[in-house]
């Protein structure tokens, strides 16, 4: 009887959910066509706990019209946000016997957008889903696009929202079943979001168990592992730690001397913790030395801390011989851990030495609680806090004659050692966390020293000391330590700067009108359907400068110049752009006047550029630059000579002055390209980093680091402006952009030979590089006799006899622990040193910039940054060695780097007989720009003086333009053209543009269509706002 009653209860319970649904739960969530009143909302929906979908409730929010992926990229692309990362898209989900929460990463929003648009890949599934009002805390720039609350909901609930969140994710991103303790209002701005709702009556029938909490961790290899929450808590460590390095002993070290055993010592170098190389004592005449010496360094765990240990054999007559070199990633150590490592020599070295030579070192990592440091990072570079020290020398009391020269040294400071005397003031900038000491000594009496630990100085107060102490006369030393500049002068961000975004907004209005007229549209395109069109000009000396004038005149004649948003230049084409942008309205005027001025300069005699009066002027200006603080280099002399070749008088124009030409969006934005290299030991193929210059900024896309253009050449340290120098005249930048003289012998061999053979070797080298991770341990083999001979010839081939030198605005910046996996760094890591952060550009005091032609003769890389979203590139190629050669090399580079770019595959017939214009695109990759390529060829121009106008017999000679790579009058070494040659080249390049009007218009129509496709794709899962309050 009891069992039957219990069965009846079970049956009723099983039927209970269905009965509730039938009585109280509608089959579909009801729609309301307008917002309810606060009373109706509370009575009809909040109190009965019923969901509804409200149409037209937030139509007045600008976000609904503005929030597209291009808009988000432009507005907040460079802003870092918290991103949940899971292997399969399921966040806060049950996996086996664990309740697993997602891994969290800090990424620029542009990186998430790149993944959503298929431009980049990232392990797992990304979802911007952070709670606790991530919209106002992480993306405050977007707050103006919406109301701070929903008035009728706030009135109904009697309070303002507890949280306002921004959600953005892939289609695979799923939030597991859960109960919210808030009344939630969701606004789907774009895409779709699917909700599965259960009524409260289902609660007793939903399985409920207790699980061990865990969290996904993303490894450096891109795989996921689950870590229990308890273990996670144990793994949490302070960011600042004390690293103890105890150099124990070595065994079986080879001797570099012929007779005696080695005299070895060990150097310890960790540039993120100290500027100095620490050193053990030397143990003489021993192959098995015991040092047992400890060194203590403070490290920050957010940095990439790569320690270098070197064993050297001391030699009194020659330089010390390297025996063993080790690179060790300190990031592998755990807090509280002591680890003893045995570093074996390379197998080749052990085989030659006939033994098991090794070095033993013990490491210990301890937490430090008394040191907190504020870092600024873009995920690639890190800026740390800086201290400033003022030092002034004064006479002590009535003492006279204190005229001795004093040397001041603060190890690791930006300024380095300084000389001073009574009455002079000096200044030092150094890392606050390093706690260095000031060393003062007389140059005439080095034994007289005064050392002052900077940590002992009170901040902001003047401290007075007397020096020297053992002889007369005395001098008083005044010291004042203070905090350095807090704000960075270097912008750390991977997207365009605010000025460029504002310019693009203005330029789109011009482009929309031009496209409406050119394509005969019924009206202006919506802002998010306006394609970004760019002109890309290669280098080629006077030939490139002249040809670009002709082609721009052709685009203007066709009414298409106003369709262009960017113009990039390299080498000789930068000379043309620098000339044109002196006139803020140049593209709105007839180019006949500027062209006539160009003719006069190109056809004039150049003998006077080396006249004695000119040489004196060069010397005076170079001396003034040196006095101001610019490093001396031959490139500056070349810049002045080049200016004299191109102009009758010096021009005072500066790069930042070109902002006037962009103030109303009346001209395209010019971008000038250069390569940064190493002064020695590496060819440009082994180390070349793209650097871009615009009227707004100068910077490295690879590092996501940029400075205002007027500050280029000034002195920087750790992202702060240390000494501002007057902005250089633009001729000195033209000297950099066309700098042929910083080349080494290996670069010259590339320039003079067939580039494809060098590129085959480059591709092989890239394949052999470990591009997936920074080595956790790297042991370098000491050089053999044969190796030393090879080093000599390598040095001979790679030394740059006339290196360019500019103050490095990246100087001192450190690397983030995850820099190598950053998507923007990954796109541009193509050098042998990318996995060795201690040897990359921020470690150098100066940049060494030169013509991009020593790598690829192109100015395209700035246009391939995904944040610029270029749809169509008009490729203007002035190469005489093949119509597609440099474009194909660029395609190979992009393919190797994973940068979206269409395949460049002309047929053999097209290679042999190239046409005036050819379109390359990749229909399967809409994120890759289309390329409309204009090689420098003489095709139908031979027979036509204008499109559709055939030449008369007496005009045939004017159609013959010698573009041979061997004997052309337009060879890059020619600095003077005849009037006839000048006219022919201008007419040819103008004709080739005008004769391909239909191809240009067709490419523009396709660009509009591709932009629409991008817009339609959008994010797979809508960005969702959730604002609500507790019931």
């Amino acid at each position: 009887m009891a069992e039957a009653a219990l069965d009846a209860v079970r049956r009723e319970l099983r039927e209970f959910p269905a009965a509730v649904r039938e009585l109280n739960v509608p089959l579909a969530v009801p729609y309301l066509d307008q917002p309810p009143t606060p009373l109706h909302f509370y009575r009809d929906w909040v109190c009965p706990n019923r969901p509804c979908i409200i149409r037209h409730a937030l139509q007045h929010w600008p976000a609904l019209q503005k929030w597209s992926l291009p808009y988000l990229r432009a507005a907040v692309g460079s802003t870092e946000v918290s991103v949940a990362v899971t292997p399969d898209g399921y966040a806060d989900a049950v996996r086996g016997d664990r309740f697993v929460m997602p891994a969290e990463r800090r990424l620029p929003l542009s990186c998430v957008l790149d993944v959503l648009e298929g431009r980049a890949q990232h392990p797992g599934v990304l979802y911007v889903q952070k709670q606790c009002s991530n919209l106002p805390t992480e993306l405050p720039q977007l707050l103006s696009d919406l109301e701070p609350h929903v008035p009728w909901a706030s009135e109904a609930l009697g309070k303002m929202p507890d949280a306002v969140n921004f959600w953005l994710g892939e289609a695979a991103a799923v939030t597991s079943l859960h109960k919210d303790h808030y009344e939630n209002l969701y606004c789907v701005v774009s895409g779709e979001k699917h909700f599965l709702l259960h009524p409260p009556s289902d609660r007793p029938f939903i399985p409920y168990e207790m699980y061990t909490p865990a969290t996904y961790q993303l490894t450096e290899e891109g795989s996921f592992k689950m870590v229990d929450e308890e273990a996670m808590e144990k793994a949490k460590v302070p960011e600042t730690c004390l690293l103890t390095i105890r150099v124990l002993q070595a065994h079986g070290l080879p001797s570099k001397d012929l007779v005696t055993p080695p005299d070895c010592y060990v150097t310890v170098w960790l540039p993120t913790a100290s500027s100095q190389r620490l050193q053990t004592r030397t143990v003489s005449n021993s192959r098995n030395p015991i040092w047992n010496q400890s060194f203590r360094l403070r490290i920050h765990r957010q940095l990439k801390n790569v320690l270098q240990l070197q064993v050297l054999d001391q030699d009194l007559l020659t330089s010390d011989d390297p025996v063993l070199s080790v690179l060790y990633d300190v990031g592998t150590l755990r807090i509280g851990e002591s680890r003893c490592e045995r570093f074996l020599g390379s197998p080749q070295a052990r085989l030659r030495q006939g033994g098991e030579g090794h070095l033993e070192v013990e490491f210990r990592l301890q937490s430090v609680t008394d040191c907190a440091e504020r870092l600024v990072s873009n995920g690639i570079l890190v800026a740390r806090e800086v201290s400033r020290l003022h030092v002034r020398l004064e006479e002590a009391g009535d003492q006279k004659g204190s005229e001795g020269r004093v040397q001041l040294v603060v190890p690791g400071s930006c300024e380095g050692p300084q000389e001073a005397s009574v009455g002079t003031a000096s200044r030092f900038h150094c890392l606050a966390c390093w706690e260095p000491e000031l060393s003062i000594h007389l140059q005439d009496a080095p034994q007289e020293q005064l050392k002052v630990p900077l940590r002992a100085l009170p901040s902001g107060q003047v401290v007075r000391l007397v020096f020297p102490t053992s002889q007369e006369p005395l001098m008083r030393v005044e010291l004042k330590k203070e905090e350095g500049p807090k704000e960075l002068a270097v912008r750390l961000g991977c997207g365009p700067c605010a000025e460029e975004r504002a310019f693009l907004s203005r330029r789109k209005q011009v482009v929309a009108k031009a496209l409406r007229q050119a394509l005969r549209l019924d009206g202006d395109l919506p802002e998010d359907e306006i394609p970004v069109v760019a002109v890309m000009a290669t280098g080629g000396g006077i030939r490139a400068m002249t040809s670009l004038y002709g082609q721009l005149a052709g685009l203007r004649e066709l009414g298409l110049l106003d369709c262009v948003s960017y113009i990039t230049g390299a080498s000789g084409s930068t000379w043309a752009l620098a000339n044109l942008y002196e006139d803020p309205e140049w593209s709105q005027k007839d180019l006949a006047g500027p062209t006539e001025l160009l003719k006069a300069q190109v056809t004039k005699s150049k003998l006077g550029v080396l006249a004695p009066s000119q040489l004196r002027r060069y010397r005076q200006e170079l001396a003034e630059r040196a006095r101001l603080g610019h490093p001396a280099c031959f490139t500056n002399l070349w810049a002045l000579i080049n200016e004299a070749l191109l102009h009758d008088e010096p021009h005072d124009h500066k790069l930042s002055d070109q902002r006037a030409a962009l103030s109303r969006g009346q001209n395209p934005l010019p971008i000038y390209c250069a390569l940064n290299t190493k002064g020695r030991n590496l060819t440009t193929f082994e180390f070349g980093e793209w650097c871009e210059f615009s009227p707004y900024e100068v910077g490295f896309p690879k590092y996501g680091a940029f400075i205002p253009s007027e500050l280029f050449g000034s002195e920087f340290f750790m992202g702060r402006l240390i000494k501002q120098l007057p902005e250089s005249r633009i001729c000195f930048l033209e000297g950099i952009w066309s700098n042929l003289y910083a080349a080494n012998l290996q670069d010259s061999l590339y320039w003079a030979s067939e580039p494809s053979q060098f590129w085959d070797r480059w591709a092989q080298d890239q394949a052999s590089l470990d591009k997936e991770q920074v080595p956790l341990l790297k042991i370098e083999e000491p050089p053999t006799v044969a190796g030393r001979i090879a080093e000599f010839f390598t040095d001979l081939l790679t030394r740059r006899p006339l290196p360019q030198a500019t103050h490095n605005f990246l100087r001192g910046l450190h690397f983030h622990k995850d820099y190598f996996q950053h998507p923007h760094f990954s796109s541009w890591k193509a050098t042998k040193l990318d996995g060795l952060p201690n040897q990359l550009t921020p470690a150098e005091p100066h940049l060494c910039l030169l013509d991009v032609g020593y790598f690829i003769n192109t100015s395209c890389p700035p246009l391939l940054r995904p944040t610029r979203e270029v749809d169509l590139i008009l490729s203007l190629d002035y190469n005489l060695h093949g119509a597609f050669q440099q474009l194909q090399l660029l395609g190979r580079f992009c393919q190797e780097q994973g940068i979206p770019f269409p395949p460049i595959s002309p047929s053999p017939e097209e290679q042999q007989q190239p046409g005036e214009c050819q379109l390359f695109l990749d229909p399967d990759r809409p994120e890759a720009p289309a390329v409309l390529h204009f090689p420098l060829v003489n095709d139908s121009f031979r027979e036509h003086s204008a499109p559709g106008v055939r030449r008369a017999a007496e005009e045939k000679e004017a159609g013959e333009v010698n573009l041979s790579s061997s004997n052309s009058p337009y060879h890059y070494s020619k600095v003077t053209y005849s009037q006839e040659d000048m006219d022919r080249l201008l007419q040819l390049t103008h004709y080739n543009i005008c004769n391909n009007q239909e191809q240009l218009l067709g490419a523009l129509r396709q660009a509009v269509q591709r932009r629409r496709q991008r817009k339609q794709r959008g994010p797979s899962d809508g960005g969702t706002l959730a604002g609500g309050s507790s019931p």
Side-chain angles (χ1 to χ4, degrees):
M1 177 81 107
E3 186 64 30
L6 190 59
D7 286 341
V9 171
R10 289 193 183 105
R11 185 170 58 255
E12 292 298 327
L13 284 174
R14 282 194 295 270
E15 294 174 356
F16 173 71
V20 171
R21 289 172 185 268
E22 183 176 345
L23 290 172
N24 192 48
V25 179
L27 294 176
V29 176
Y31 282 80
L32 306 181
D33 287 327
Q34 62 184 8
T37 66
L39 175 62
H40 288 166
F41 181 60
Y42 190 77
R43 182 192 64 197
D44 297 340
W45 308 104
V46 177
C47 285
N49 213 11
R50 297 176 59 201
C52 63
I53 300 173
I54 307 171
R55 293 190 176 106
H56 311 300
L58 305 173
Q59 288 291 100
H60 57 288
W61 281 11
L64 270 69
Q65 284 73 43
K66 296 172 67 174
W67 283 13
S68 62
L69 295 192
Y71 175 82
L72 293 177
R73 188 184 298 279
V76 291
S78 60
T79 303
E80 280 200 353
V81 294
S82 296
V83 183
V85 188
T86 55
D88 53 8
Y90 283 82
D92 301 333
V94 174
R95 287 290 177 265
D97 60 349
R98 297 290 190 272
F99 180 77
V100 191
M101 290 166 283
E104 276 208 1
R105 291 198 66 186
R106 296 286 297 176
L107 292 174
L109 188 64
S110 60
C111 296
V112 181
L113 299 177
D114 288 344
V115 173
L116 292 177
E117 293 182 320
R119 301 181 178 195
Q121 293 183 336
H122 190 284
V125 178
L126 305 185
Y127 197 6
V128 180
Q129 62 160 27
K130 190 174 178 67
Q131 309 294 316
C132 302
S133 278
N134 73 329
L135 181 61
T137 57
E138 292 193 331
L139 298 168
Q141 305 95 315
L142 299 179
L143 290 176
S144 60
D145 295 338
L146 44 87
E147 286 183 310
H149 71 118
V150 180
W152 46 268
S154 298
E155 183 177 345
L157 298 170
K159 62 186 300 186
M160 296 290 285
D162 287 334
V164 181
N165 297 320
F166 174 94
W167 293 353
L168 176 68
E170 302 181 62
V174 177
T175 302
S176 298
L177 183 64
H178 65 282
K179 176 185 176 182
D180 272 349
H181 299 283
Y182 295 95
E183 300 291 355
N184 289 318
L185 296 172
Y186 293 88
C187 173
V188 179
V189 177
S190 178
E192 298 177 356
K193 187 168 182 68
H194 297 266
F195 292 88
L196 178 62
L197 302 176
H198 287 273
S201 54
D202 283 2
R203 168 64 187 87
F205 305 95
I206 296 175
Y208 185 89
E209 294 183 30
M210 297 297 294
Y211 293 90
T212 300
T215 302
Y216 283 118
Q217 277 193 353
L218 184 60
T219 68
E220 289 194 357
E221 293 77 23
S223 59
F224 289 84
K225 64 178 181 180
M226 287 188 292
V227 180
D228 288 350
E229 189 174 278
E230 182 179 354
M232 286 286 291
E233 289 299 321
K234 291 180 179 178
K236 289 180 180 178
V237 298
E239 298 297 342
T240 303
C241 299
L242 180 65
L243 172 67
T244 302
I245 305 163
R246 187 180 176 197
V247 182
L248 299 173
Q249 61 183 345
H251 178 78
L253 296 180
S255 176
K256 298 296 182 177
D257 300 327
L258 295 177
V259 179
T260 61
D263 309 316
C264 288
Y265 63 91
V266 180
T267 62
V268 177
W269 184 46
L270 184 56
T272 53
S274 173
S275 64
Q276 298 176 296
R277 291 178 186 264
L278 308 175
Q279 182 176 322
T280 67
R281 66 182 179 277
T282 300
V283 177
S284 301
N285 298 322
S286 176
R287 296 189 64 213
N288 306 303
I290 298 176
W291 294 283
N292 200 24
Q293 280 185 257
S294 296
F295 305 94
R296 291 175 177 82
L297 297 168
R298 285 194 174 192
I299 66 169
H300 200 291
R301 290 175 62 85
Q302 287 299 309
L303 306 178
K304 193 66 177 178
N305 298 298
V306 178
L307 173 71
Q308 184 184 52
L309 298 166
Q310 273 192 305
V311 182
L312 295 106
D313 184 359
Q314 191 176 61
D315 199 314
L316 298 179
L317 299 179
T318 61
S319 59
D320 297 346
D321 297 309
V323 177
L324 178 66
S325 182
V326 176
L327 293 178
Y328 183 72
D329 188 350
V330 177
T332 60
L333 299 173
R334 296 191 299 272
I335 195 73
E337 176 186 17
S338 291
R339 183 188 301 178
C340 188
E341 297 278 11
R342 173 180 288 193
F343 301 114
L344 298 176
S346 67
Q348 296 87 348
R350 297 201 302 271
L351 183 64
R352 287 197 309 271
Q353 296 156 12
E356 289 288 331
H358 67 263
L359 171 69
E360 293 182 18
V361 181
E362 183 181 73
F363 300 96
R364 186 181 181 191
L365 197 63
Q366 300 168 279
S367 62
V368 176
T369 58
D370 62 343
C371 181
E373 185 180 1
R374 175 178 172 269
L375 306 182
V376 180
S377 177
N378 61 357
I380 302 172
L381 295 177
V382 178
R384 307 178 72 177
E385 294 178 348
V386 171
S387 286
R388 181 190 291 137
L389 176 67
H390 298 273
V391 183
R392 185 172 182 84
L393 302 179
E394 297 288 355
E395 294 180 350
D398 297 330
Q399 298 287 338
K400 301 293 181 183
S402 301
E403 297 178 356
R405 301 291 295 177
V406 172
Q407 187 172 57
L408 309 173
V409 179
V410 176
S413 67
C414 167
E415 291 79 3
Q418 298 186 52
E419 290 186 5
S421 59
V422 170
T424 62
S426 303
R427 189 173 65 169
F428 295 91
H429 292 83
C430 59
L431 283 184
C433 60
W434 281 3
E435 299 181 345
E437 64 180 13
L438 168 67
S439 175
I440 309 174
H441 65 81
L442 289 173
Q443 291 187 338
D444 296 336
Q447 71 279 4
E448 293 288 348
Q449 288 198 25
L450 176 65
K451 292 191 175 182
V452 183
L454 297 193
R455 66 179 174 181
L457 299 177
S459 182
Q461 299 181 28
V462 176
V463 175
R464 294 178 176 85
L465 305 171
V466 175
F467 174 79
T469 58
S470 63
Q471 67 179 36
E472 300 290 343
L474 303 178
M475 65 178 70
R476 187 172 64 236
V477 182
E478 291 187 357
L479 305 176
K480 182 181 178 183
K481 184 182 76 171
E482 61 186 13
E483 291 184 356
K486 289 188 176 296
E487 296 300 319
L488 299 188
V490 176
R491 181 177 71 86
L492 296 181
C494 298
C497 63
E499 294 83 358
E500 181 176 335
R501 297 198 302 268
F503 159 79
L504 286 175
S505 180
R506 298 190 297 269
R507 184 64 180 174
K508 280 187 175 181
Q509 300 174 26
V510 178
V511 173
K513 291 182 175 61
L515 286 173
R516 177 181 181 179
Q517 185 171 355
L519 302 182
R520 299 181 181 179
L521 304 175
D522 293 334
D524 289 350
L525 292 168
E527 184 173 334
D528 55 359
E529 292 184 10
I530 300 172
V532 178
V533 181
V535 167
M536 187 286 298
T538 69
I542 299 292
R543 176 181 69 250
M545 178 174 68
T546 304
S547 299
L548 183 54
Y549 267 82
Q551 289 169 319
L552 291 177
L555 288 172
R556 189 182 184 284
E557 183 176 314
L558 297 178
L560 302 182
L561 190 51
D562 278 346
C563 299
V564 176
S565 295
Y566 292 100
I567 298 183
T568 62
S571 192
S573 59
T574 66
W575 305 341
L577 296 178
N579 285 349
L580 291 170
Y581 277 86
E582 288 191 20
D583 181 354
E585 308 296 330
W586 72 268
S587 69
Q588 307 304 311
K589 299 178 180 178
D590 190 345
L591 293 182
T595 303
E596 288 303 315
L597 292 175
L598 173 72
K599 288 182 182 179
Q601 295 303 319
V602 173
T603 58
K604 73 178 183 181
S605 172
K606 307 300 191 300
L607 296 178
V609 299
L610 297 178
S613 59
Q614 288 281 57
L615 294 177
R616 284 193 295 272
R617 184 177 68 81
Y618 302 158
R619 182 180 178 182
Q620 290 172 357
E621 186 157 1
L622 294 177
E624 176 62 15
R625 285 179 64 81
R627 186 190 67 79
L628 291 172
H630 291 282
C633 62
F634 179 80
T635 308
N636 291 336
L637 175 59
W638 155 243
L640 293 173
I641 294 174
N642 187 58
E643 182 185 44
L645 292 172
L646 301 177
H647 304 285
D648 292 328
E649 297 292 338
H651 280 217
D652 197 38
H653 196 65
K654 300 177 179 66
L655 180 58
S656 64
D657 294 339
Q658 295 183 6
R659 294 172 187 169
L662 309 172
S663 59
R664 305 188 317 279
Q666 68 268 40
N667 300 294
L669 175 67
I671 302 177
Y672 309 85
C673 295
L675 274 181
N676 181 53
T677 60
K678 291 285 186 179
R680 56 186 301 177
N681 297 330
L682 292 172
T683 68
T684 307
F685 266 73
E686 293 169 324
F687 190 91
E689 299 174 328
W690 292 94
C691 182
E692 62 178 58
F693 297 70
S694 84
Y696 297 126
E697 285 192 319
V698 178
F700 290 93
K702 173 179 176 179
Y703 298 115
F706 302 85
I707 58 171
S709 56
E710 64 268 24
L711 296 183
F712 179 74
S714 294
E715 296 184 40
F716 289 79
F717 178 69
M718 197 52 74
R720 278 79 173 185
L721 178 63
I722 302 302
K723 180 181 178 182
Q724 183 169 353
L725 303 182
E727 184 179 1
S728 296
R729 296 191 297 114
I730 200 168
C731 72
F732 290 101
L733 301 185
E734 292 178 85
I736 290 174
W737 303 329
S738 59
N739 178 19
L740 305 178
Y741 303 99
N744 54 40
L745 287 176
Q746 191 81 351
D747 294 335
S748 301
L749 288 174
Y750 164 68
W751 186 271
S753 62
E754 174 56 44
S756 60
Q757 60 179 304
F758 283 82
W759 272 84
D760 290 336
R761 193 180 69 190
W762 179 82
Q764 293 170 4
D765 290 343
Q766 292 299 298
S768 66
L769 289 178
D770 183 1
K771 302 182 69 176
E772 298 306 317
Q773 61 182 353
V774 180
L776 302 180
L777 173 65
K778 182 177 181 180
I779 298 177
E780 297 178 348
E781 183 180 349
T784 61
V785 174
R788 290 181 185 275
I789 295 174
E791 279 183 7
F792 170 79
F793 283 105
T794 298
D795 182 69
L796 183 66
L797 287 171
T798 59
R799 184 187 295 270
R800 302 183 190 275
L802 299 171
Q804 192 274 336
T806 300
H807 290 302
N808 181 10
F809 58 86
L810 302 182
R811 185 182 178 190
L813 290 166
H814 291 160
F815 281 89
H816 190 274
K817 63 183 179 67
D818 299 320
Y819 82 95
F820 203 76
Q821 285 77 37
H822 195 284
H824 287 276
F825 186 87
S826 298
S827 294
W828 301 103
K829 59 184 183 189
T831 81
K832 283 191 170 183
L833 303 181
D834 287 330
L836 306 174
N838 299 347
Q839 301 181 45
L840 286 171
T841 298
E844 300 288 347
H846 298 107
L847 303 175
C848 181
L849 299 166
L850 78 163
D851 193 316
V852 300
Y854 284 114
F855 187 58
I856 312 174
N857 185 8
T858 183
S859 61
C860 208
L863 305 176
L864 302 180
R865 289 172 58 186
T867 50
R868 288 203 166 111
E869 294 193 316
V870 175
D871 299 285
L872 172 64
I873 298 173
L874 306 182
S875 170
L876 309 182
D877 192 336
Y878 310 123
N879 186 37
L880 297 180
H881 293 268
F884 305 101
Q885 181 194 75
Q886 298 298 313
L887 193 63
Q888 287 176 306
L889 296 183
L890 176 63
R892 292 182 63 179
F893 174 81
C894 293
Q895 182 180 12
E896 182 65 34
Q897 299 304 120
I899 298 172
F901 197 74
I904 309 300
S905 304
S907 66
E909 294 77 15
E910 291 167 337
Q911 295 259 31
Q912 188 68 29
Q913 190 66 38
E916 295 163 350
C917 171
Q918 184 159 346
L919 180 66
F920 298 97
L921 51 83
D922 188 344
D924 298 327
R925 298 188 72 184
E927 70 274 15
V931 177
L932 190 62
H933 187 57
F934 288 85
L936 187 58
V937 297
N938 185 11
D939 187 13
S940 62
F941 180 71
R942 284 191 173 91
E943 303 297 329
H944 297 81
S945 59
V949 180
R950 298 191 66 84
R951 293 185 183 276
E954 61 274 13
E955 297 176 323
K956 292 288 187 181
E957 186 178 352
E960 296 299 325
V961 184
N962 182 0
L963 299 176
S964 166
S965 59
S966 57
N967 62 351
S968 173
Y970 308 114
H971 191 268
Y972 76 89
S973 61
K974 305 286 186 182
V975 295
T976 303
Y977 291 174
S978 69
Q979 188 69 48
E980 293 78 12
D981 289 334
M982 185 73 182
D983 289 338
R984 288 176 182 176
L985 185 58
L986 285 168
Q987 292 166 10
L988 169 67
T989 51
H990 179 273
Y991 171 88
N992 282 353
I993 291 292
C994 294
N995 195 47
N996 290 276
Q997 180 178 10
E998 289 306 315
Q999 288 84 342
L1000 283 162
L1001 294 176
L1004 288 172
R1005 292 189 187 96
Q1006 288 190 356
V1008 172
Q1009 187 60 35
R1010 290 163 70 87
R1011 175 61 64 162
R1012 286 172 175 162
Q1013 290 174 356
R1014 285 190 185 187
K1015 173 185 174 182
Q1016 291 168 0
R1017 288 173 66 206
S1020 301
D1021 188 13
T1024 307
L1025 290 174
S1029 57
S1030 301

